[in-house]
Amino acid sequence: MKRCVALGLAAADQAPTPAEEAELDAIASSDPGAIREYCELRVIGDRLHALAPPPDVTDAVMAAIWALEAHDVQREFRCANHRDPGTDRHLRVRRSQSQRLRLRRRMRLGIWAVAAAVCLGIGLAWWTFPGEGTEAPEPLAHLVRDGRVLRPVAADETIVARSGESLRLRGEASTFTLEPVTQLRLSRSDGWRLVLETGAMEAEVAAQDRDLLITTPHGGVRVLGTRFAVACTRQATEVRVHEGRVRVAVFGGDAGVVAADGDHARIVDGIARLVRKDGTPAPPRPRVRFDFRLGPEAGLHDQGEYGLSLTLAGSPQWDAQGLRFDGRSLLSTPAASFIHACKATNEVSLVVRIRPETASFGFDVDKLGSARIVGLSKSTSARNLTLGQGEVGAGGHVYAMRVRRGIMPEGRRDPPHLPENGLPAYVHTGVVLEQWVHLAATYSASAGYRLYRDGTLIGEGPAAGGFEAWEDAFPLHIGAEAGGERGWTGRIATMALYDRALSATQVAILVREAR
Amino acid sequence: MVATAPIPESLEPSGIFPVTWPFELERPSMEPLQADAVVAGVLSGDIERYQELVEAYQRDVWRVVAGRGYSQDTARELVQQTFVEGYCHLARYQPGRDFRVWLQGIARNLVRKELRTWAHRSRHRESYRAHLETLIQEEQDAEGDPRLEALATCRESLDAESRSVIDAFYHEGRSLEAIAARLGRSLVAAKQLLWRIRGQLRHCVELRMRHP
C-alpha cells in the first residue's frame, strides 16, 4: 500500500516516469484493492481542477463556427467533415474501412475516366486547330499546397479550394490561404481583382503600386500591402485585419470604413462598419490623434498612424483636463502624409474636444477671420483647412470652417471667393462658452460640409469640389495660425483627424466614447 | 530532493499563498426559456447569438470535462469541441428541455471517447478510466455532479494553509517545488502534505455523500 501511495503521488501530482508507470501497471494487475485506493484518491485531486474558473473559449468556438459557416454546403456535411487543426482535432473525417475502400475504387475509376477525357480532348483540339493549341495564355496565378505548385489559374476561372490550398499571384509576393470549399475568381485589368463567391481566406498582400480589390456579394475590400482574413457567408462579409490597412465598402455606397491592425469590419444589410469583438459598433480609427490630457510629454506625440510630434511655441498651461491656450501659443508639425491621404479620398474630418472661453472673441469673421483652433495652412492667406471661432457682426458667436476645395474659374479672384484661403467659409452659430463640447467637422467632395456639436448636427453646407489643390507642405497647427497670428483662447482635451467624412452614427459613437 | 528554486515574485509574502480561488457554484446566468429563444435565433440565421450560449454555459461544460485524468489543454479542447458539436446538432435540441443538461450530455460523450484514447496505453490508466466511467454514469443519472458540490464545500472547511496549498497547486498551477519553498519544507514533505489534504477531502466528500 505504501508503494502504491508513493507511486500515486508521482502519477497524480507530476508526470510519472516510465518506470513508475510500469510499477503502477503491475499493482493494477496484482492488487485491485491498492489500485482502487489510488483511483479514489486521485479522482479527488483531478476533480479539484474542475472547480477552477474555466478558460474562456468563446472566441475559439465562434472562430470555428464562422469557418464552418463559410463553407456553402449543407450543415450536417460541414460539421461532420470540418477539420480545424488549431481547435478541434476530433472533427477529423472518420470513415469505416469499407467506405474507404469504396472511395478508393471510385477514385481510381474517376482518374481513368478523367485521363481518357483529357487525351480525347487534346486529340480533338490538335485535329481541329492544328498549331494553335500550343500557345496557352499565361496564367494569372498558381494554386499551391505546401510550397508546391499544383496548377496554374487562368483569368475568370472559378476555383473551388481544397484543404491546405493557397493562391499565389503571378509576379507578386502575395498569397491567399484558402479555406476548404472556398469559391474564388481572379482577374486583372488596372489592378488585381479577386471575386470571393463564398468561403474564407487569409491574405498576405505585398506592398504594390496599384490597388488589389477583393469583392464579395455584399461589397468590397480595397487593399494596399497588408495581412488580413476575409470570410463571406450568405448573410455577411467579415474582415479581420492583422497588419496594415484595408478599406471595406459597399458597392455604390459611401466610402466605407478603414480597418487597420487588429480591427474587425463587417458588411451586413448593405452597411460596412467596424465592430468590436462583442459585435457592437467600434469607433472609427483616426489617422492623427493627440490627447493633451496626457501632459506635455505624451500629449505632444501622435497616437494615430503617422507618429507626428508637435513643436510647442509659447507657454500654454497644462492640467489634467488638457491644454489651455492663451491666444499667444502655438503647436505645429508637418503633416504631408495626412494631407496626401485626404487628397486620395477627397474627404476629411476634424474632431476636437474643447472648452471655448469668452476671451476668444474679438475676431470678426468677415474682417479678420476667426481665431484658429486647428488648421492645415501656411499663412493667414493660404490654407487647406481651418476650424476657427469668431464673431459675425455685433456679437454673433460662430464656428467658421474653411476648406480649400475645387478649382476656381479663371479670372475670379475677388474676396470672399479665394479658394487658396478656403473661402467662402462655412459659418455656423452654436458656440457654447465655458463648457466642454465635442465638435466634429466633416467635409466630403460628394456630400459637402457638416458640423456636429456633442453629436448633434448644428450646421451643413454644400459640396464644392475635391482636394486637388491641397498643398502637402502646409503644416498642422493648433491654437493659432501657422505664423502665430489669430491666437485662440480656450482649452483643448483631444484632437483627431480622419481622411474620410465621418457619418452621424460614427460621430455619435465618438461622443459616447469621449464621455 | 530539497527545492532550491527561486520563488517567483508573484507569490505574495503574506500567508502562504493568496486565497483567490473563486469556488462559487452559481447556476448559469441564462434561464431555460431564454436559452430556447437564443437557440431559435441561431437556427434562424443569427449565428453571432451562439456566443451568448458559449458564454453562459462554458462553466457547466468545464465542470463535466475538467479533471478527468487527461491534461488541462485536452480539457480546454474538449470544451471547445462540445460547443462546436452542439452548434452542429443544434437543430436536434428540443425546446423546453434544459439546454445545460443537453450540452453536458454531449460533453460526457466526448469525455468518454477521450478517456478511451487516454487509457488504452496502460493498465492502471484503464483502471482509472473504469473508475471515472462509473462516476460519470452516476453524474448523468443525477443530472449533475453531487461529488463536485461536496468537494467545493469540503474545500471550504480546510484550514487556511491547506486551502492555499490546494489553490496554488490545482488552480494557479504552481509547481510542487515552489510550494515547498514557500512552505519552507522539503519537496517530499510538500508532496505528503498534498496527499494528506486530498485524503481529508476524500473522507469529507464520502461523509457528505452519505449524509447530505
Side-chain angles (χ1 to χ4, degrees), chain A residues 4-6 8-14 16 20-21 24-26 28-29 35-62 64-66 68-69 75-76 78-80 82 86-91 94 233 235 238 240 264 266 277-279, chain B residues 21-23 25 42-43 45 47-48 50-51 54-55 58-59 62-64 66-69 72 74 76-81 83-85 87-90 92 113-114 118 121-125 127-128 131-132 135 139 145 148 151-152 155 166 169-171 176-177 191-192 194-195 198-199 201-202 205-206:
Chain A
C4 181
V5 168
L9 272 168
D13 298 338
Q14 289 178 320
E20 286 167 338
E21 290 258 17
L24 273 171
D25 278 352
S29 306
I35 206 70
R36 191 167 55 247
E37 175 80 4
Y38 158 75
C39 290
E40 284 175 5
L41 276 167
R42 175 165 183 179
V43 82
I44 293 291
D46 280 351
R47 289 303 274 157
L48 281 165
H49 286 296
L51 287 176
D56 188 356
V57 298
T58 312
D59 283 351
V61 170
M62 293 313 291
I65 286 172
W66 276 114
L68 288 172
E69 278 300 326
R75 173 178 283 186
E76 292 300 314
R78 281 200 305 272
C79 291
H82 176 63
T87 55
D88 48 7
R89 61 200 170 83
H90 307 283
L91 277 175
R94 291 190 179 110
T233 65
Q235 292 90 12
E238 302 265 339
R240 286 186 170 84
H264 180 182
R266 181 180 299 159
K277 261 170 56 179
D278 62 3
Chain B
W21 192 353
F23 272 80
L25 291 164
V42 175
L43 287 174
I47 296 164
E48 283 286 353
Y50 194 70
Q51 191 168 327
V54 180
E55 282 164 0
Q58 54 186 329
R59 172 180 287 272
W62 172 254
R63 289 173 61 193
V64 170
R68 302 294 193 184
Q72 294 296 91
T74 304
R76 186 192 156 91
E77 277 183 15
L78 287 174
V79 175
Q80 291 172 23
Q81 177 63 14
F83 282 106
V84 175
E85 291 277 330
Y87 175 78
C88 289
H89 300 107
L90 203 57
R92 294 187 198 170
K113 274 188 202 168
E114 183 60 35
W118 174 83
R121 283 176 47 200
S122 64
R123 183 74 187 244
H124 78 280
R125 282 189 181 193
S127 303
Y128 189 47
H131 185 74
L132 288 173
L135 297 181
E139 285 166 27
D145 186 357
L148 199 60
L151 184 60
R155 178 259 174 206
I166 289 282
F169 190 75
Y170 291 105
H171 171 43
L176 275 170
E177 283 86 352
K191 272 188 178 185
Q192 282 173 346
L194 202 61
W195 188 253
R198 274 210 307 244
L201 286 172
R202 175 196 172 197
V205 168
E206 280 173 358

Side-chain angles (χ1 to χ4, degrees), chain A residues 156-481:
Chain A
D156 294 323
E157 176 190 344
T158 298
I159 305 161
V160 180
R162 293 180 184 179
S163 178
E165 288 183 351
S166 49
L167 189 73
R168 194 180 292 160
L169 302 185
R170 194 189 74 215
E172 305 271 352
S174 302
T175 307
F176 301 84
T177 307
L178 310 172
E179 283 282 325
V181 208
T182 293
Q183 285 186 37
L184 189 74
R185 267 187 304 117
L186 180 66
S187 66
R188 186 170 198 189
S189 53
D190 191 30
W192 291 99
R193 181 175 171 139
L194 276 73
V195 182
L196 179 63
E197 306 282 1
T198 182
M201 63 184 178
E202 285 274 342
E204 193 161 340
V205 180
Q208 53 198 294
D209 297 334
R210 284 184 224 163
D211 283 0
L212 183 146
L213 184 65
I214 297 173
T215 62
T216 69
H218 313 102
V221 183
R222 192 173 292 281
V223 188
L224 275 171
T226 183
R227 269 196 324 116
F228 65 99
V230 54
C232 171
T233 65
R234 276 185 296 276
Q235 292 90 12
T237 293
E238 302 265 339
V239 182
R240 286 186 170 84
V241 181
H242 308 308
E243 194 181 309
R245 287 159 53 86
V246 302
R247 182 176 290 278
V248 183
V250 176
F251 296 127
D254 62 9
V257 294
V258 174
D261 306 7
D263 281 349
H264 180 182
R266 181 180 299 159
I267 307 176
V268 66
D269 298 333
I271 301 170
R273 53 168 69 100
L274 289 179
V275 289
R276 294 196 181 87
K277 261 170 56 179
D278 62 3
T280 56
R285 183 180 280 264
R287 300 298 295 257
V288 176
R289 185 175 192 274
F290 291 100
D291 187 343
F292 300 109
R293 295 167 300 185
L294 300 176
E297 289 293 321
L300 296 179
H301 292 289
D302 176 19
Q303 297 172 339
E305 293 171 27
Y306 302 125
L308 307 180
S309 280
L310 290 166
T311 305
L312 176 62
S315 51
Q317 296 158 12
W318 295 86
D319 62 26
Q321 291 188 313
L323 183 59
R324 182 182 177 277
F325 285 97
D326 52 8
R328 295 185 297 277
S329 304
L330 169 68
L331 296 171
S332 63
T333 178
S337 306
F338 175 69
I339 293 168
H340 191 71
C342 291
K343 284 162 78 174
T345 60
N346 277 322
E347 292 185 6
V348 69
S349 291
L350 164 60
V351 178
V352 286
R353 190 155 184 274
I354 54 172
R355 187 185 163 103
E357 294 180 7
T358 312
S360 298
F361 297 101
F363 288 104
D364 188 322
V365 170
D366 289 336
K367 294 174 184 167
L368 279 172
S370 55
R372 314 302 202 228
I373 304 171
V374 179
L376 288 163
S377 64
K378 187 176 78 171
S379 67
T380 54
S381 58
R383 74 192 63 256
N384 294 331
L385 172 86
T386 292
L387 174 66
Q389 180 189 325
E391 293 177 351
V392 174
H397 306 322
V398 294
Y399 290 116
M401 181 77 166
R402 295 192 197 177
V403 184
R404 177 184 284 213
R405 68 268 191 201
I407 308 292
M408 269 305 285
E410 281 294 318
R412 189 173 175 193
R413 311 292 298 165
D414 56 315
H417 300 283
L418 292 172
E420 66 270 27
N421 203 11
L423 291 172
Y426 295 108
V427 179
H428 296 287
T429 55
V431 175
V432 181
L433 301 174
E434 302 294 350
Q435 273 185 36
W436 284 103
V437 291
H438 185 279
L439 218 54
T442 71
Y443 180 84
S444 147
S446 56
Y449 168 74
R450 289 195 175 97
L451 180 65
Y452 301 86
R453 192 191 62 213
D454 292 328
T456 306
L457 184 68
I458 59 169
E460 53 189 327
F467 300 157
E468 303 88 344
W470 274 32
E471 297 279 352
D472 288 356
F474 288 2
L476 167 68
H477 55 83
I478 304 169
E481 188 52 87

Side-chain angles (χ1 to χ4, degrees), chain B residues 41-210:
Chain B
V42 175
L43 287 174
S44 65
D46 190 359
I47 296 164
E48 283 286 353
R49 293 202 71 188
Y50 194 70
Q51 191 168 327
E52 295 172 36
L53 296 171
V54 180
E55 282 164 0
Y57 291 105
Q58 54 186 329
R59 172 180 287 272
D60 295 293
V61 173
W62 172 254
R63 289 173 61 193
V64 170
V65 163
R68 302 294 193 184
Y70 40 67
S71 72
Q72 294 296 91
D73 286 344
T74 304
R76 186 192 156 91
E77 277 183 15
L78 287 174
V79 175
Q80 291 172 23
Q81 177 63 14
T82 300
F83 282 106
V84 175
E85 291 277 330
Y87 175 78
C88 289
H89 300 107
L90 203 57
R92 294 187 198 170
Y93 168 71
Q94 294 166 357
R97 286 185 62 192
D98 190 334
F99 189 76
R100 179 178 62 88
V101 173
W102 184 75
L103 212 51
Q104 285 182 331
I106 295 175
R108 283 195 191 95
N109 286 336
L110 289 172
V111 166
R112 287 191 176 104
K113 274 188 202 168
E114 183 60 35
L115 278 176
R116 279 197 284 276
T117 312
W118 174 83
H120 88 278
R121 283 176 47 200
S122 64
R123 183 74 187 244
H124 78 280
R125 282 189 181 193
E126 188 53 50
S127 303
Y128 189 47
R129 184 190 72 82
H131 185 74
L132 288 173
E133 280 279 2
T134 313
L135 297 181
I136 290 168
Q137 188 57 49
E138 285 173 16
E139 285 166 27
Q140 192 167 346
D141 296 342
E143 288 199 346
D145 186 357
R147 277 186 184 76
L148 199 60
E149 312 272 344
L151 184 60
T153 313
C154 291
R155 178 259 174 206
E156 287 297 314
S157 65
L158 290 173
D159 62 84
E161 183 188 74
S162 300
R163 208 161 52 220
S164 66
V165 168
I166 289 282
D167 290 356
F169 190 75
Y170 291 105
H171 171 43
E172 294 159 21
R174 296 186 198 280
S175 67
L176 275 170
E177 283 86 352
I179 293 172
R182 174 55 70 194
L183 292 169
R185 300 185 186 188
S186 70
L187 181 61
V188 174
K191 272 188 178 185
Q192 282 173 346
L193 175 63
L194 202 61
W195 188 253
R196 183 178 57 75
I197 297 168
R198 274 210 307 244
Q200 281 177 18
L201 286 172
R202 175 196 172 197
H203 182 63
C204 173
V205 168
E206 280 173 358
L207 274 179
R208 288 196 165 269
M209 294 303 294
R210 276 203 294 270

